[in-house]
Amino acid sequence: MKKRIFSGAQPTGKLHIGNYLGALKNWVALQDDYDALYCIVNLHSITLPQNPDELRRNTLDLARVYLAAGLDPSRSIIFVQSDVPQHAELAWVLSCITRLGELERMTQFKDKGKGNTERVGVGLLTYPVLMAADILLYQTDLVPVGQDQKQHLELCRDIAERFNRDFGETFRIPDPYIPKAGASIKSLLDPERKMSKSDENANGSIFLTDDADTILKKFKRAVTDSGTAITFDESRPAINNLLTIYQLVTDKTAEECVVHFEGKGYGQFKPELAEAVIEFLRPFQEKVQHFDDEHVTNILKEGAEKARAIAAVTLQDVYSRMGITR
Ligand code: AMP
Ligand code: TRP
């Protein structure tokens, strides 16, 4: 039996190269060796206000991105979260065994809620419980995510262990899979902050749909640190980030990258980095237009059917252990 992986992304805003290198790239690689489920988590998106038409569009667009990046519906189950009602049902159950203090400690909640707890939506607080439900419904072994999700995954493990202790072995305890390089790609304008969909300045991110000109311009504007050597150096976060991007899009080793740029400066490095990213994104950008709505909708429908079959077994077990069903 293959081990199972589960991961998901929100259909909110445009995906950037951080999403690709921190998550999607690994999802594609892992689908060969694992029994994989990849979800479009639209119920997570509504923790912040969304325009309904845009959300509908973004949901299909994200499915297109998954397919163009190389997720293969004949090997992986690709589906939309709201098509499988068990996610919301299990989230309710888990919210009853999650502690308020645990949720209030989540850094993403603190960041997004900006300390304004009087007015902030409750969904922003309980978001990690829904995420735990996503994962636990499928008896997941491994969850490939970027560094920003590590804390949510630890909470998921705590919740699962608590349930198992109180009601008997029910859930498999999932492990995070966080890549060594690329788990936290930084903003091009501020290497202390992660590249983020919600960044108001588009020049900090390379979007998967950016054209060649835009990519070159953004890298030329990218901030640099003092010093001129093109090397990996913990104390120089800007060059570290740019060189990591170069390494991941070219599939070179860190050493090969450093040797390649020895004796060269930013004047040569930046255009070469831009070119490498443009080439990396080219096949993806060509493919992404080829999936029409009907084709994508059919794939999602099939995915949802397969996912529901697995999810229903787990939820039934949970309900029966708790005395909800006889
Ligand atoms: P999201 O679009 O926020 O749902 O994130 C989708 C995936 O991309 C998650 O696994 C995140 O951990 C990952 N991710 C988001 N931002 C970055 C980043 N700047 N660097 C690396 N991975 C990221
Ligand atoms: N919270 C994740 C993010 O913002 C998305 C997500 C929801 C997820 N459910 C998940 C990721 C389950 C992995 C597994 O990136």
Side-chain angles (χ1 to χ4, degrees):
M1 272 272 281
K2 281 186 183 172
K3 290 197 166 182
R4 178 160 291 155
I5 51 180
F6 182 99
S7 199
Q10 297 187 54
T12 319
K14 292 190 285 185
L15 261 70
H16 52 66
I17 194 131
N19 297 123
Y20 202 116
L21 300 176
L24 265 178
K25 190 170 184 264
N26 302 310
W27 299 4
V28 174
L30 290 165
Q31 67 182 345
D32 289 332
D33 299 323
Y34 290 84
D35 181 11
L37 292 106
Y38 296 117
C39 188
I40 295 161
V41 292
N42 56 347
L43 297 174
H44 276 105
S45 290
I46 59 170
T47 49
L48 292 172
Q50 300 295 324
N51 170 300
D53 289 330
E54 269 174 34
L55 180 57
R56 230 185 309 275
R57 175 101 324 258
N58 284 339
T59 301
L60 278 188
D61 282 348
L62 184 54
R64 251 185 286 277
V65 166
Y66 281 13
L67 296 169
L71 295 189
D72 173 4
S74 70
R75 282 181 288 169
S76 299
I77 299 178
I78 301 171
F79 72 106
V80 178
Q81 189 182 31
S82 61
D83 285 342
V84 181
Q86 285 86 357
H87 288 247
E89 290 183 72
L90 182 60
W92 170 254
V93 171
L94 298 181
S95 77
C96 296
I97 65 159
T98 305
R99 296 171 186 150
L100 186 55
E102 289 176 315
L103 295 177
E104 284 174 342
R105 276 199 295 279
M106 296 290 117
T107 51
Q108 194 172 321
F109 170 70
K110 288 194 249 176
D111 291 349
K112 290 200 178 174
K114 298 192 179 78
N116 187 4
T117 50
E118 192 55 42
R119 296 199 49 81
V120 83
V122 173
L124 216 49
L125 176 71
T126 55
Y127 177 112
V129 180
L130 179 58
M131 178 164 165
D134 297 342
I135 297 166
L136 299 178
L137 267 180
Y138 300 98
Q139 306 294 354
T140 302
D141 295 288
L142 204 64
V143 185
V145 283
Q147 180 67 28
D148 59 346
Q149 298 301 318
K150 186 166 180 257
Q151 199 186 26
H152 291 161
L153 214 77
E154 280 160 7
L155 177 65
C156 171
R157 291 167 57 95
D158 289 345
I159 296 172
E161 277 165 4
R162 191 172 308 149
F163 190 97
N164 287 352
R165 185 198 63 202
D166 292 349
F167 297 100
E169 282 301 308
T170 311
F171 297 122
R172 198 163 302 166
I173 308 298
D175 286 314
Y177 176 98
I178 295 171
K180 273 198 206 76
S184 188
I185 299 292
K186 304 302 183 192
S187 161
L188 302 186
L189 298 179
D190 180 0
E192 302 295 336
R193 288 175 30 228
K194 67 169 185 174
M195 192 177 282
S196 162
K197 282 176 180 170
S198 51
D199 194 341
E200 55 297 329
N201 191 339
N203 288 325
S205 308
I206 302 285
F207 296 109
L208 302 187
T209 47
D210 280 348
D211 61 27
D213 263 3
T214 310
I215 293 175
L216 183 59
K217 268 194 210 126
K218 285 181 177 176
F219 278 124
K220 281 195 171 159
R221 273 192 210 143
V223 302
T224 51
D225 350 62
S226 55
T228 51
I230 308 298
T231 50
F232 289 101
D233 179 348
E234 289 298 323
S235 67
R236 294 170 67 218
I239 186 61
N240 235 1
N241 186 45
L242 296 176
L243 206 49
T244 300
I245 296 176
Y246 180 84
Q247 183 194 342
L248 291 168
V249 298
T250 56
D251 267 330
K252 290 187 173 145
T253 64
E255 212 182 358
E256 283 167 346
C257 295
V258 172
V259 170
H260 181 77
F261 288 110
E262 214 176 322
K264 297 181 188 165
Y266 281 110
Q268 274 169 297
F269 171 64
K270 281 183 162 185
E272 221 182 296
L273 168 61
E275 196 48 43
V277 170
I278 292 163
E279 283 313 311
F280 176 79
L281 289 178
R282 192 189 304 281
F284 166 82
Q285 291 184 347
E286 280 168 10
K287 270 195 230 151
V288 85
Q289 302 154 13
H290 291 308
F291 301 101
D292 64 47
D293 282 2
E294 196 188 332
H295 180 64
V296 174
T297 307
N298 283 334
I299 288 173
L300 294 176
K301 196 165 160 247
E302 267 178 43
E305 274 164 29
K306 292 182 196 159
R308 273 196 299 267
I310 306 170
V313 175
T314 306
L315 187 68
Q316 180 52 45
D317 187 27
V318 167
Y319 276 168
S320 125
R321 286 172 186 277
M322 300 184 88
I324 305 285
T325 52
R326 280 143 287 146

